[in-house]
Amino acid sequence: MRFDEAYSGNVFIGTNSDFPESRVVLYGMPMDWTVSYRPGSRFGPARIREVSIGLEEYSAYLDRELHEVKYFDAGDIPLPFGNPQRSLDIIEDFVTKLLAEDKFPLGMGGEHLVSWPVMKAMAAKYKDLAIIHMDAHTDLREHYEGEPLSHSTPIRKIAELIGPENVFSFGIRSGMKEEFEWAKNAGMHISKFEVLEPLKEILPKLAGRPVYVTIDIDVLDPAHAPGTGTVDAGGITSKELLASIHEIARSEINVVGADLVEVAPIYDQSEQTANTASKLIREMLLGFVK
Amino acid sequence: MRFDEAYSGNVFIGTNSDFPESRVVLYGMPMDWTVSYRPGSRFGPARIREVSIGLEEYSAYLDRELHEVKYFDAGDIPLPFGNPQRSLDIIEDFVTKLLAEDKFPLGMGGEHLVSWPVMKAMAAKYKDLAIIHMDAHTDLREHYEGEPLSHSTPIRKIAELIGPENVFSFGIRSGMKEEFEWAKNAGMHISKFEVLEPLKEILPKLAGRPVYVTIDIDVLDPAHAPGTGTVDAGGITSKELLASIHEIARSEINVVGADLVEVAPIYDQSEQTANTASKLIREMLLGFVK
Amino acid sequence: MRFDEAYSGNVFIGTNSDFPESRVVLYGMPMDWTVSYRPGSRFGPARIREVSIGLEEYSAYLDRELHEVKYFDAGDIPLPFGNPQRSLDIIEDFVTKLLAEDKFPLGMGGEHLVSWPVMKAMAAKYKDLAIIHMDAHTDLREHYEGEPLSHSTPIRKIAELIGPENVFSFGIRSGMKEEFEWAKNAGMHISKFEVLEPLKEILPKLAGRPVYVTIDIDVLDPAHAPGTGTVDAGGITSKELLASIHEIARSEINVVGADLVEVAPIYDQSEQTANTASKLIREMLLGFVK
Amino acid sequence: MRFDEAYSGNVFIGTNSDFPESRVVLYGMPMDWTVSYRPGSRFGPARIREVSIGLEEYSAYLDRELHEVKYFDAGDIPLPFGNPQRSLDIIEDFVTKLLAEDKFPLGMGGEHLVSWPVMKAMAAKYKDLAIIHMDAHTDLREHYEGEPLSHSTPIRKIAELIGPENVFSFGIRSGMKEEFEWAKNAGMHISKFEVLEPLKEILPKLAGRPVYVTIDIDVLDPAHAPGTGTVDAGGITSKELLASIHEIARSEINVVGADLVEVAPIYDQSEQTANTASKLIREMLLGFVK
Amino acid sequence: MRFDEAYSGNVFIGTNSDFPESRVVLYGMPMDWTVSYRPGSRFGPARIREVSIGLEEYSAYLDRELHEVKYFDAGDIPLPFGNPQRSLDIIEDFVTKLLAEDKFPLGMGGEHLVSWPVMKAMAAKYKDLAIIHMDAHTDLREHYEGEPLSHSTPIRKIAELIGPENVFSFGIRSGMKEEFEWAKNAGMHISKFEVLEPLKEILPKLAGRPVYVTIDIDVLDPAHAPGTGTVDAGGITSKELLASIHEIARSEINVVGADLVEVAPIYDQSEQTANTASKLIREMLLGFVK
Amino acid sequence: MRFDEAYSGNVFIGTNSDFPESRVVLYGMPMDWTVSYRPGSRFGPARIREVSIGLEEYSAYLDRELHEVKYFDAGDIPLPFGNPQRSLDIIEDFVTKLLAEDKFPLGMGGEHLVSWPVMKAMAAKYKDLAIIHMDAHTDLREHYEGEPLSHSTPIRKIAELIGPENVFSFGIRSGMKEEFEWAKNAGMHISKFEVLEPLKEILPKLAGRPVYVTIDIDVLDPAHAPGTGTVDAGGITSKELLASIHEIARSEINVVGADLVEVAPIYDQSEQTANTASKLIREMLLGFVK
């Protein structure tokens, strides 16, 4: 044992300590200040890292081990409590720098609004960018009770940024009537209720394109992810979500970044949600990064 | 803001404050004093209301919004603790008055025994009444350890009131051998284990008839409804239960009343059960009331 | 039973339905978006009301019953998630109107920052206003990581508004060195660790003056209030806090308003914190309003 | 290992398997059907037994070991759910038989109403019987919302049975005004808020008399007993309750029976309440039985 | 009521008090000292017994009642904390004695390592023994961080004892790459991810042979069994596990012993895992013992 | 933001990244494999670090800030599950090396047995070493059910190592009769039940001597530390424990090392125990290290 090494601390299992040689950077965005129902996702990234010690480093699904992908855990981005605009600016700046160094950004939320500044950075780098969005909720509001910066608005903003025809939502089971109508009129793709089957149809159409993948853990049924802000019955199983990640992994799209958001540990005394999220992160790492 | 308005308080989201013009009356029956295993469903209705603020007012399944059905939340019926007979009399009286004013009763339990007095009131008004019963348990005992008023007896009583041939149970996976035999001999319908497929067969046979729908939340697998008195493995998913409600909504039966019972919040730290129940109530409202 | 009455819903036990004749208005301020550690106090007021049904209406400490004080439960003030400034403006406006109608404001938080706009409204009405502040934390920061609107700043703002010499803090056991030094230099009163004994010394000096009382539930030891954002060991007991409220009740100061903040139910599976808070509200009502 | 022995199962630590030679009989009264607020104490006795394995068999307070008192754990008395009258009759019959065999009855609740039939059996055997009652609540109602058999009425019934002048209540902090007035007029002793100091004054007056001791776990502050139906802030500590038991143990009164009631495990995820209760049972055994 | 009977205590519902005439012996192995992630399964057997009172005695799946199989609950085997080797020796000795009396051993864990000594005893009695293993994890390590006695090694040891070709694993979704490769090279059967369908293919090949069945509760998805040490997303449902047990029951294999391991109650506040386990035990009893 | 820095991860707030210049080394000993009742303290150190972000860096008790003491968080020592002897050897080796570099060791448990190898290392360095031990339990057994390496034995081993007359135990309220007798005969100091007052008497006698301080969190009452393996009613408050630490800080003894053990987070959904432990660590750092 050498005492002069910095203690690695609470990092995702198998992480690499060398930033320059890492292909992927894993980072937390511990923000939950615009959520309308149950807050707490600020503690999601830390808990996902903590429970990752329960994981095997090998994926029996992908026949690949964590050491085959070099990744660096950059920790949680420090964000100012209660100030959404400054928080989003800091995230955008962070990811822009990551992309300048040609890293694959793999983010952990925090509320879903954090995907908005990430996509601004992504879109500045990648032409013809598309997004695959798995979620229980449309997240297509223009504003929420007057606030344009809200956990209910990120996909709308992203659609306006990269064009609604480049947004592909799956598993959606909740939203306002106006949101569904806006999506329909705007030419955006929404698969209601299901993820895997419609994904199989869409993936070939995206072959070769750069795609960002954003997964709200509440696309899972509450049985599979009780630890999230807005649980919504009628969701998919963790087996289906894993299969969907593997379907993307085997497709010909070019995944250029991804995130997993809305894990709120306090609502799940069993910690199953954080454990499931840590497995999903492992599969995203091994499946999305070639 | 006007201070001279009564505060609406903890009512189901989107409720109407005007009783006379409401088509539906939502009410709680906070009784759990005859349960043999784990009590606590007395707090079910209050918690279902509280978490309903996490719901959207639009159903993406039924393409309908809550404002399209006028409903009034009458709160919890005050019931005397530990006195089953008086409690049941009060419920029967309450529902009888509702029916006299031509309201659609939508009840929230409480233990399942509360459906018995409701059915007495329903049967007094509707000729040729049938009941659709979704539950893990038969609830067909004559008495439970000598007590005829027990959470294990309501469907037996109902069968004796409206005739066993008018009782249709689905999803049943627990009961005494004698209960299954009684049902068989009496000509009552029991679909073991499954709900959706057998329901599709039965619904056409009930076309045009007045039907009451009673759902015990424990028809769901414990994974989907841990917050209930008697969890019983091997149940259906919340997706299947939603689909079953929608199947009824699209059928030609005439739903004349309904209830959802046995939500016991204390056994579910994540509150997923109450959240799921509030979504089920929304779908029952939007699907059952034309 | 009359169906044409609005259901009173989830209101504090014994509340009055008539606003004009009420002496006190009870209201919730469900805001928690600037907290730095654990959010969740937005659900405090609702849960305090819910569990108040477990209370007796009589205080054995004060020999007084709830019907002796007329109060109206105005519910929770609707506040925009993630927008501190607008939320505070709405609260200030609400309380200003209450004061214009000569009501005694009794608020429930929510994070402690909500006391700041309330005090702005109070100070506009009452000359020579003082504040009694019970808390584990100084709350005297000028800003928190750059944010002037933070749960760590309200007492500083209040001190600057009404003069530090009119601020009396008790039970304080956490803060930055700079905060304690600022208080000392500014002539503000801080009693470290204890509440009851130093309060007995201060109260006579405030005789006859209008005083606002703000209680952060975390002045209690975590054993007595686990359900709060920032638990801090070494606090007082609920018996001591009750005695402190009764000491104020028996004093000659003129309490003109009060609040109880930072109850965050999700961190307390036993619900003891909400139950304790509802008892504290009852004693504040019966003790502070003559 | 001998397989032909009956498995001792879940019994209180150190229990004796021989009924005839046992001086004390420990038994559970798993009834909670008349409680007005939070049910669940039916599971109290089983959990107290289960966690007793964490106890030492020696009391450092009394310098006595469990093997010095022979006791038999008779398990939980089977009671009919939802039928208070029959349940109470069964309990009375059980204790009457115990007393006929000259056993010391040590009961575990269950709701406090179970002490009423026990006292009927005790009073039939012992002349000049007094009762020491430690509780947060008066329990002196004549009826509760019309029900004479309620968890709010046992001490009233007992007072009417053995004479109010023989009832000594300690630690009381909640009740209706009428209850306190009735007690005062009837000549019954109530020590508000405190237990130990007033007990020291009363005990000498009871010297030589047969006394039954009933302890409602909610005499403890919620911090020390969150797992109970009606938590009530401002209570005593577990250290004070232990000292009170030891004060009785060292006094000259003749304890002839005792119970500990209202442990409701589900409200205490940490199980501290059940663990504390099992220690209290050990001290009652070692301290009350000479 | 006879007081001179030993209290049956916390035993599995419907258990027989007569060892000699019992066909099955149910016993707990409360050991969890080699687990690498979350301990707590030592309390599994006790809690499974406790919640079994919520079960019906009749299986609607198998049309059989508990009284049709005589079984004796031998309680938990006393094991020395922190000493794996001695614990395993005690278990082996216990089961060897059971087999000498021709009992069917039905064990409850405890960590999975407890199956290793049981299999040593089984293999000593039964020639041509095979094992059916349902689990999320391979458990095929040779050692874990240097320790050969680890919860990660039992199936490897068993494979070396009875021959890898006699080991049939189902539902496996986690392990090291080396473990999967060892299994493949050794000729051991592993069905990844699924249980029911591959089981249907394997069962006919085992017809007539003596088979031991070991079920790790984590073969279930975390949604269905949150109360276990190492939750692992992507598992099967409780409905599928029940169907797999029934498939075995209807097959022509000769089940000669079985266990259910890794229930850790503390991670499941709802107690759904223990309730599910108690139902599984009932179905194993009724299905495996002819 | 520089990406080429190793992420500091989950370390105690304010920790120093430079080992050589640090005066103190903080380290975790995540071992719980010999506990007889409830395991889980292996996760104590990680959770104490995680919640330390809720702490202020200033102590209002000691008027000192964390930056005034340089300390390095060495993380958790990797220990082999289920192998007590090897685990203890690793700890002894670790601390021996720390002492060779003249560091002040500040350990976090883990079960109390971890203090034994630490004391072996300490005693090898310091002549005339004494130990101050705060605990609910004597921990003086020679062995526990035959195991000499048990969480019930560390103080006995330490007493035999440094001489019983150099062991000073406080707050003890549980143990076997034999343990108390052994202590008495051996000339070891035990203060039953209380800590602060007897400590004031003992400290002057130890003036100038090197002293190790070991605190078992269960010296606190369960109300103040529900998250521990063996909760034991009748303990001291967190206010008293803080005062005891400060009493030592102000004394003339020479504290040369310390630990805080037995925090088991899973038994405390509120996380108050971990939060309290992190405050105690801060006060030990600021008070014990001159």
Side-chain angles (χ1 to χ4, degrees), chain B residues 1 3 10 19 50 94, chain C residues 1 3 10 19 47 50 94:
Chain B
M1 193 171 302
F3 299 114
N10 179 22
F19 177 81
E50 185 179 318
F94 179 92
Chain C
M1 194 172 301
F3 300 115
N10 180 21
F19 177 82
R47 196 57 58 89
E50 185 179 318
F94 179 93

Side-chain angles (χ1 to χ4, degrees), chain F residues 66-222:
Chain F
L66 281 177
H67 70 82
E68 299 178 45
V69 183
K70 291 205 184 305
Y71 55 98
F72 178 83
D73 186 345
D76 281 6
I77 307 176
L79 301 174
F81 309 107
N83 190 326
Q85 187 56 62
R86 269 186 52 211
S87 301
L88 300 184
D89 292 347
I90 290 170
I91 292 170
E92 184 178 353
D93 185 53
F94 179 93
V95 178
T96 298
K97 286 180 183 161
L98 278 190
L99 294 177
E101 305 218 24
D102 247 347
K103 304 301 187 191
F104 182 106
L106 184 50
M108 297 184 288
E111 57 169 290
H112 213 160
L113 185 55
V114 299
S115 299
W116 159 234
V118 175
M119 279 302 283
K120 286 208 284 184
M122 299 300 294
K125 173 160 186 171
Y126 295 101
K127 303 287 164 219
D128 196 29
L129 184 65
I131 187 168
I132 289 176
H133 166 228
M134 303 180 194
D135 200 332
H137 305 87
T138 44
D139 288 359
L140 285 170
R141 298 197 186 192
E142 266 197 283
H143 48 77
Y144 189 84
E145 300 192 3
E147 293 298 325
L149 292 180
S150 154
H151 75 125
S152 302
T153 62
I155 303 305
R156 175 66 169 267
K157 292 180 183 304
I158 289 166
E160 289 169 351
L161 177 73
I162 65 171
E165 68 281 9
N166 297 313
V167 178
F168 300 84
S169 292
F170 300 89
I172 308 300
R173 50 196 192 275
S174 280
M176 294 194 308
K177 188 170 191 172
E178 291 73 14
E179 295 176 83
F180 286 96
E181 286 171 351
W182 181 88
K184 197 174 179 182
N185 294 334
M188 176 188 145
H189 176 91
I190 292 186
S191 285
K192 287 199 295 189
F193 316 130
E194 299 302 330
V195 178
L196 185 56
E197 290 312 313
L199 190 64
K200 286 179 182 169
E201 288 178 36
I202 295 295
L203 282 171
K205 302 179 188 167
L206 295 174
R209 286 182 61 183
V211 180
Y212 186 84
V213 180
T214 182
I215 302 176
D216 185 321
I217 195 83
D218 71 17
V219 72
L220 290 174
D221 191 89

Side-chain angles (χ1 to χ4, degrees), chain E residues 27 37 42 80 126 129 135 164-165 186 210 214 226 240 252 283 285:
Chain E
Y27 56 96
Y37 187 34
R42 69 179 64 179
Y126 295 100
L129 185 65
D135 200 332
E165 69 281 8
T214 181
E240 290 168 321
E252 309 211 345
E283 297 300 300
L285 259 172

Side-chain angles (χ1 to χ4, degrees), chain B:
Chain B
M1 193 171 302
R2 292 173 49 210
F3 299 114
D4 52 347
E5 280 178 2
Y7 165 49
S8 66
N10 179 22
V11 290
F12 199 80
I13 190 173
T15 199
N16 207 294
S17 61
D18 186 25
F19 177 81
E21 72 166 22
S22 294
R23 169 78 186 91
V24 180
V25 173
L26 189 67
Y27 57 95
M29 296 170 282
M31 162 174 172
D32 60 9
W33 20 102
T34 82
V35 307
S36 55
Y37 187 34
R38 308 193 304 182
S41 60
R42 69 179 66 178
F43 297 112
R47 196 56 58 88
I48 293 171
R49 288 185 188 98
E50 185 179 318
V51 303
S52 69
I53 63 161
L55 279 183
E56 299 282 346
E57 303 203 5
Y58 171 70
S59 167
Y61 303 85
L62 295 163
D63 189 24
R64 207 174 181 203
E65 292 179 294
L66 281 177
H67 69 81
E68 299 177 45
V69 183
K70 292 207 181 309
Y71 55 97
F72 178 83
D73 186 345
D76 281 5
I77 307 177
L79 301 174
F81 310 105
N83 190 326
Q85 188 57 62
R86 266 186 55 211
S87 300
L88 300 184
D89 291 347
I90 290 169
I91 293 170
E92 184 178 353
D93 185 51
F94 179 92
V95 178
T96 299
K97 286 179 183 161
L98 277 191
L99 294 177
E101 305 218 23
D102 246 347
K103 303 301 186 189
F104 181 106
L106 183 50
M108 297 184 289
E111 57 169 291
H112 213 158
L113 185 55
V114 299
S115 300
W116 159 234
V118 175
M119 278 302 282
K120 288 208 284 184
M122 299 299 294
K125 173 160 185 172
Y126 294 101
K127 300 290 163 217
D128 196 30
L129 184 66
I131 187 167
I132 289 176
H133 166 229
M134 303 180 195
D135 200 333
H137 305 87
T138 44
D139 289 0
L140 285 170
R141 299 197 185 194
E142 266 198 280
H143 47 77
Y144 188 85
E145 301 191 1
E147 292 300 323
L149 292 180
S150 154
H151 75 125
S152 302
T153 61
I155 304 303
R156 176 67 168 267
K157 291 181 183 306
I158 289 168
E160 289 169 349
L161 177 72
I162 65 171
E165 69 281 8
N166 297 313
V167 179
F168 300 84
S169 292
F170 300 90
I172 307 300
R173 50 195 192 274
S174 281
M176 293 196 306
K177 189 170 190 170
E178 292 73 15
E179 294 176 83
F180 286 96
E181 287 171 351
W182 181 88
K184 197 173 179 182
N185 294 333
M188 177 188 145
H189 176 91
I190 292 186
S191 286
K192 287 201 293 189
F193 316 132
E194 300 302 329
V195 177
L196 185 57
E197 291 312 313
L199 190 64
K200 286 179 183 171
E201 288 178 35
I202 295 296
L203 283 171
K205 301 180 188 166
L206 295 174
R209 285 182 63 184
V211 179
Y212 186 83
V213 179
T214 182
I215 302 177
D216 186 320
I217 195 83
D218 72 17
V219 73
L220 290 173
D221 192 88
H224 296 271
T228 190
T230 310
V231 287
D232 188 41
I236 65 171
T237 66
S238 63
K239 196 187 259 190
E240 290 168 321
L241 182 50
L242 285 164
S244 301
I245 290 172
H246 300 142
E247 194 69 28
I248 293 173
R250 281 186 300 266
S251 78
E252 308 211 346
I253 68 169
N254 177 25
V255 183
V256 292
D259 61 44
L260 177 66
V261 300
E262 297 282 6
V263 172
I266 191 67
Y267 304 103
D268 179 3
Q269 185 263 344
S270 77
E271 298 196 330
Q272 63 158 290
T273 313
N275 278 279
T276 293
S278 78
K279 183 167 180 174
L280 293 172
I281 290 288
R282 185 191 72 190
E283 297 300 301
M284 290 163 84
L285 259 171
L286 294 179
F288 291 172
V289 185
K290 301 297 155 69

Side-chain angles (χ1 to χ4, degrees), chain E residues 177-190:
Chain E
K177 189 171 189 171
E178 291 73 15
E179 294 176 84
F180 287 96
E181 286 171 351
W182 181 88
K184 198 174 178 181
N185 294 334
M188 176 188 144
H189 176 90
I190 294 187

Side-chain angles (χ1 to χ4, degrees), chain C residues 107-173:
Chain C
M108 298 184 288
E111 58 169 289
H112 213 159
L113 185 54
V114 300
S115 300
W116 159 234
V118 175
M119 279 301 284
K120 287 209 284 184
M122 298 301 294
K125 172 159 185 173
Y126 294 100
K127 302 288 163 216
D128 196 29
L129 184 65
I131 187 168
I132 289 176
H133 166 228
M134 304 180 194
D135 201 332
H137 304 87
T138 45
D139 288 359
L140 285 170
R141 299 196 184 193
E142 266 197 282
H143 48 77
Y144 188 84
E145 300 192 2
E147 293 300 323
L149 292 180
S150 154
H151 75 126
S152 301
T153 62
I155 304 303
R156 176 66 167 268
K157 291 180 183 305
I158 289 167
E160 289 169 351
L161 177 73
I162 65 170
E165 70 280 7
N166 297 314
V167 178
F168 300 84
S169 292
F170 300 89
I172 308 299
R173 51 196 191 275

